[in-house]
Amino acid sequence: MIKQNALFIYNPFSGDMPDKDDIIASICDHLSNYELWKTTGEKDREKIKKLVKDGDYELILVGGGDGTIKMVAEALEGKKIKLLPIPFGSANGLATCLGLETWEDSLASLQAGSTIAMDLLDVNGQVSLHLADFGLNAGMIKKFEEKDERGMASYFKSSLSSLFEIKPYSFKIGLAGREENVEAKMLIVANGSKYGTGATINPGSRMDDGIFEIIVLNPNGFQDWLELTYGVMREDISGLDFVQVWSTDQVEIVNLTRAPFHVDGEIVEPNENVSIRVREDKVKMYWNPDNLD
């Protein structure tokens, strides 16, 4: 039985789990002192910040997708309160990066007491937890949202039309006193290693090391796409001549051709100038490192 003062925040609209209420009840059976609070889509960010400020919590459980977890992480930045992600979303990118693929993984992590002091990225003033990207993936997410569809099958269906029609975008990357001009079909800012689909795009990364990676992907033609797919599946994209990677704690990106842009699964208006850095404060997250071996 977990004896920490806990707040369980959950998003009733995330994902398509039919037995979500039963799962919540099962998790709560392991908590001795907790409150339940659900998001409504109306000023949730402000309400969560007030809950954290006014409460006396040691632990906050978050059942939802990346957007819900991100809202809570912003409220906990620099605080001693621990955060437990519970993957209730459609893709659950952050939870996947933390080795929490199911709610049972989350519960096991809580019982084991495994935590990580996770870096937060600042992207033009907003928090990013695991991945942001320009180009192909962001464009697919935008199409997905515009069709108002849900589920991974719909997401992959929308991706097929994007796969070969996309042209490279132009970027200027400012790194440690030098500039790199690149053409890319996808430019990734990676604090984490995986997308919610399980695809590993940043193998070997850590989310607590004070740095992140800039990954430039510019495959050209079917053979390159096959090589990239194989590299992602075997968790090694090194050696591919259409891939460039830099590690840094801050970067300035000029999005010269206004490529579509997303941060942690949410579409962002594609500003021309994007400034990214590691924030000073961290968030203590539960994780399951055994699932990442």
Side-chain angles (χ1 to χ4, degrees):
M1 185 69 68
I2 305 300
K3 297 182 179 181
Q4 301 174 67
N5 292 332
L7 173 64
F8 193 153
I9 297 173
Y10 70 98
N11 183 346
F13 308 109
S14 64
D16 54 4
M17 301 171 65
D19 53 351
K20 190 180 297 182
D21 290 342
D22 292 337
I23 293 172
I24 291 170
S26 296
I27 294 171
C28 289
D29 285 342
H30 295 269
L31 306 174
S32 63
N33 184 21
Y34 68 91
E35 297 176 37
L36 272 178
W37 190 88
K38 64 180 178 181
T39 63
T40 64
E42 297 290 333
K43 297 184 178 179
D44 290 324
R45 182 170 275 100
E46 293 85 350
K47 292 175 183 177
I48 289 170
K49 287 183 177 179
K50 189 174 189 307
L51 279 170
V52 172
K53 180 180 178 182
D54 295 345
D56 184 25
Y57 305 113
E58 302 165 89
L59 164 68
I60 297 185
L61 305 90
V62 187
D66 291 337
T68 309
I69 297 169
K70 178 178 171 179
M71 281 194 297
V72 178
E74 290 172 350
L76 298 186
E77 184 177 0
K79 301 185 185 302
K80 295 181 179 180
I81 304 170
K82 298 174 184 177
L83 191 158
L84 175 66
I86 302 171
F88 280 179
S90 297
N92 305 301
L94 174 65
T96 300
C97 288
L98 293 169
L100 306 176
E101 298 181 6
T102 66
W103 70 269
E104 291 94 342
D105 289 336
S106 297
L107 188 57
S109 173
L110 178 61
Q111 292 170 328
S114 303
T115 62
I116 184 173
M118 200 181 84
D119 295 327
L120 301 178
L121 303 189
D122 186 295
V123 181
N124 276 5
Q126 74 163 289
V127 168
S128 174
L129 299 178
H130 75 298
L131 291 172
D133 58 49
F134 302 80
L136 175 61
N137 186 59
M140 292 192 298
I141 292 172
K142 189 172 188 295
K143 283 187 177 183
F144 181 58
E145 290 184 347
E146 287 172 348
K147 291 181 180 179
D148 195 27
E149 298 179 355
R150 294 292 181 268
M152 292 309 298
S154 297
Y155 177 77
F156 283 119
K157 183 176 71 176
S158 71
S159 75
L160 291 176
S161 61
S162 301
L163 192 57
F164 294 106
E165 68 185 31
I166 189 172
K167 296 180 179 179
Y169 297 95
S170 298
F171 303 93
K172 184 182 294 184
I173 303 174
L175 288 161
R178 74 180 194 276
E179 285 188 350
E180 301 281 348
N181 290 287
V182 300
E183 299 287 310
K185 292 187 176 178
M186 193 166 163
L187 189 155
I188 305 164
V189 179
N191 187 35
S193 60
K194 298 174 180 284
Y195 283 99
T197 59
T200 300
I201 200 65
N202 190 24
S205 71
R206 289 190 59 92
M207 300 177 78
D208 63 347
D209 58 3
I211 59 174
F212 56 93
E213 279 67 47
I214 305 297
I215 303 168
V216 174
L217 304 177
N218 197 27
N220 183 26
F222 188 66
Q223 182 62 36
D224 283 357
W225 285 111
L226 283 179
E227 290 181 9
L228 178 59
T229 301
Y230 178 64
V232 167
M233 289 176 61
R234 64 189 178 93
E235 301 189 0
D236 183 6
I237 59 174
S238 63
L240 299 177
D241 58 10
F242 52 83
V243 176
Q244 294 172 276
V245 181
W246 297 279
S247 295
T248 185
D249 61 359
Q250 60 182 28
V251 66
E252 302 291 330
I253 298 174
V254 183
N255 185 5
L256 294 168
T257 45
R258 298 298 179 96
F261 181 37
H262 101 277
V263 178
D264 294 340
E266 297 180 347
I267 293 296
V268 177
E269 190 66 28
N271 292 333
E272 183 177 6
N273 298 297
V274 181
S275 179
I276 304 169
R277 63 178 176 83
V278 178
R279 292 193 175 198
E280 290 184 10
D281 292 321
K282 298 174 180 270
V283 170
K284 186 163 284 190
M285 294 262 192
Y286 282 92
W287 70 329
N288 190 343
D290 292 341
N291 271 4
L292 300 174
D293 292 340

